[in-house]
């Protein structure tokens, strides 16, 4: 599992980044990731990235509702990534 690169608190979400967004040609919030994300944290979103010249998508970041707090957001983001990768 990738390590957390950064954690930023924004307006409504805590943005837990696992990979640098600049390394991707495209970043999306796929519908298929909604169920595993929300099974861990209500309202969570997963962003996936596609590298230039590749068909492979990987988790770039997870957004957790701000009300959860940064420490819990990091734990929940890791749990979401584990669910997706398993």
């Amino acid at each position: 599992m990738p390590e957390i690169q950064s954690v930023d608190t924004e307006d409504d979400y805590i943005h837990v980044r696992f990979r640098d967004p600049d390394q991707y040609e495209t970043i999306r919030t796929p519908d298929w990731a909604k169920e595993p994300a929300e099974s861990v944290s209500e309202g969570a979103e997963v962003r996936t990235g596609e590298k230039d010249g590749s068909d492979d998508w990987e988790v770039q970041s997870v957004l957790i509702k701000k009300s959860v707090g940064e420490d819990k957001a990091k734990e929940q983001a890791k749990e979401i990534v584990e669910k997706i990768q398993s």
Side-chain angles (χ1 to χ4, degrees):
M1 179 166 79
E3 293 296 315
I4 293 172
Q5 301 296 313
S6 68
V7 178
D8 299 310
T9 301
E10 299 174 358
D11 294 337
D12 297 325
Y13 289 97
I14 297 170
H15 199 154
V16 182
R17 286 184 179 86
F18 290 92
R19 296 180 173 94
D20 182 354
D22 293 337
Q23 73 183 24
Y24 299 104
E25 181 179 321
T26 306
I27 294 180
R28 292 191 180 139
T29 305
D31 291 339
W32 60 261
K34 185 175 180 124
E35 191 278 320
E38 290 202 344
S39 73
V40 174
S41 184
E42 184 180 339
E45 294 181 9
V46 176
R47 294 200 176 144
T48 59
E50 179 184 36
K51 288 188 176 183
D52 190 18
S54 172
D55 289 336
D56 294 333
W57 290 81
E58 52 193 15
V59 175
Q60 185 270 320
S61 64
V62 177
L63 282 76
I64 305 286
K65 288 209 175 212
K66 186 177 176 178
S67 59
V68 170
E70 277 195 17
D71 289 337
K72 189 148 182 114
K74 288 191 269 188
E75 290 173 23
Q76 290 180 346
K78 285 182 181 180
E79 188 176 340
I80 290 167
V81 172
E82 284 177 17
K83 280 188 167 225
I84 288 171
Q85 291 182 344
S86 65

